[in-house]
Amino acid sequence: AQSVTQLGSHVSVSEGALVLLRCNYSSSVPPYLFWYVQYPNQGLQLLLKYTTGATLVKGINGFEAEFKKSETSFHLTKPSAHMSDAAEYFCAVSLNFGNEKLTFGTGTRLTIIP
Amino acid sequence: DSGVTQTPKHLITATGQRVTLRCSPRSGDLSVYWYQQSLDQGLQFLIQYYNGEERAKGNILERFSAQQFPDLHSELNLSSLELGDSALYFCASSVGGGGNIQYFGAGTRLSVL
């Protein structure tokens, strides 16, 4: 079975500062990894995903994440926070054909301080 | 706009009642997934259909059922509703297969009073 742990249910950063949201996963087989963002009263929007290949993945809105197999991590970063980044962020894992469901972490609420 | 349409946006009902949530997937997507988001349980996978057939089942209560129709839209039926069923219910769709992006609808917010 797969699982996801997101460290820090709330993270606050100043506008212009580095954003780092942590995600660790557990999986018995090579996983597919995703970051989704949820703005208030909206559905989930994909930021980026890792399937195979390059371990540094670039997504939308300046976000990127690095897959580190040795650390079972997939942390999300953005060099410079913007007010519009305030939202809830979910890390998720899925497996192969037949077990494609997304298993989500508990989410991290990002607050941007002006 | 993800291309996934969920109706209704809000539902308010009483305990013991039955409701139906509807989902229209993105054009071309064969797989539909249902998820429940609540404060105490977080985001939980309920069930997946692929081209009309049930493919995977998660933490779905026996009081809940779903189906996918020939035109690929899906319905989630919730019966004998309890206060604890109040949550946001999301539908997502994808082409199917591991690693493919699941596109989420805006959700149906269910309030059981």
Side-chain angles (χ1 to χ4, degrees):
Chain A
Q2 64 272 32
S3 66
V4 174
T5 301
Q6 289 184 243
L7 290 176
S9 57
H10 291 86
V11 170
S12 295
V13 301
S14 297
E15 192 175 14
L18 172 72
V19 175
L20 170 60
L21 304 183
R22 299 178 187 274
C23 171
N24 288 87
Y25 69 90
S26 172
S27 174
S28 56
V29 297
Y32 301 113
L33 295 161
F34 304 81
W35 276 98
Y36 280 86
V37 61
Q38 185 178 27
Y39 297 101
N41 300 314
Q42 293 188 28
L44 284 83
Q45 179 184 3
L46 181 76
L47 280 176
L48 49 80
K49 71 169 187 175
Y50 169 80
T51 51
T52 59
T55 57
L56 183 62
V57 180
K58 294 190 185 300
I60 63 170
N61 301 337
F63 284 94
E64 61 182 38
E66 187 171 10
F67 171 64
K68 292 187 176 180
K69 185 178 178 181
S70 61
E71 299 177 9
T72 61
S73 68
F74 191 56
H75 302 331
L76 182 71
T77 60
K78 181 174 179 177
S80 177
H82 191 272
M83 295 300 294
S84 61
D85 295 328
E88 185 136 24
Y89 292 79
F90 292 92
C91 181
V93 61
S94 75
L95 301 181
N96 277 319
F97 188 84
N99 194 1
E100 307 150 25
K101 67 177 184 185
L102 289 170
T103 298
F104 288 92
T106 50
T108 297
R109 183 168 300 279
L110 178 63
T111 300
I112 310 298
I113 303 165
Chain B
D1 183 5
S2 67
V4 178
T5 303
Q6 288 189 249
T7 56
K9 287 190 180 348
H10 302 277
L11 260 179
I12 301 175
T13 188
T15 54
Q17 295 299 304
R18 173 189 168 95
V19 297
T20 297
L21 283 55
R22 184 187 167 102
C23 170
S24 294
R26 291 189 332 146
S27 177
D29 283 355
L30 298 179
S31 234
V32 169
Y33 310 78
W34 286 96
Y35 294 87
Q36 179 194 60
Q37 185 178 32
S38 62
L39 284 175
D40 53 345
Q41 304 263 12
L43 270 160
Q44 298 272 328
F45 167 73
L46 295 178
I47 197 164
Q48 178 199 0
Y49 278 81
Y50 179 83
N51 203 20
E53 300 287 327
E54 182 185 303
R55 172 159 285 178
K57 225 169 186 177
N59 300 321
I60 188 166
L61 300 171
E62 283 192 13
R63 300 183 285 108
F64 295 1
S65 65
Q67 53 185 327
Q68 186 178 29
F69 295 86
D71 66 353
L72 300 179
H73 91 272
S74 178
E75 292 181 355
L76 179 66
N77 300 295
L78 315 177
S79 61
S80 303
L81 286 167
E82 302 175 359
L83 296 177
D85 298 327
S86 296
L88 198 49
Y89 292 85
F90 286 112
C91 167
S93 76
S94 82
V95 297
N100 286 300
I101 298 169
Q102 292 183 27
Y103 294 89
F104 282 75
T108 294
R109 184 171 295 280
L110 174 66
S111 299
V112 182
L113 305 179

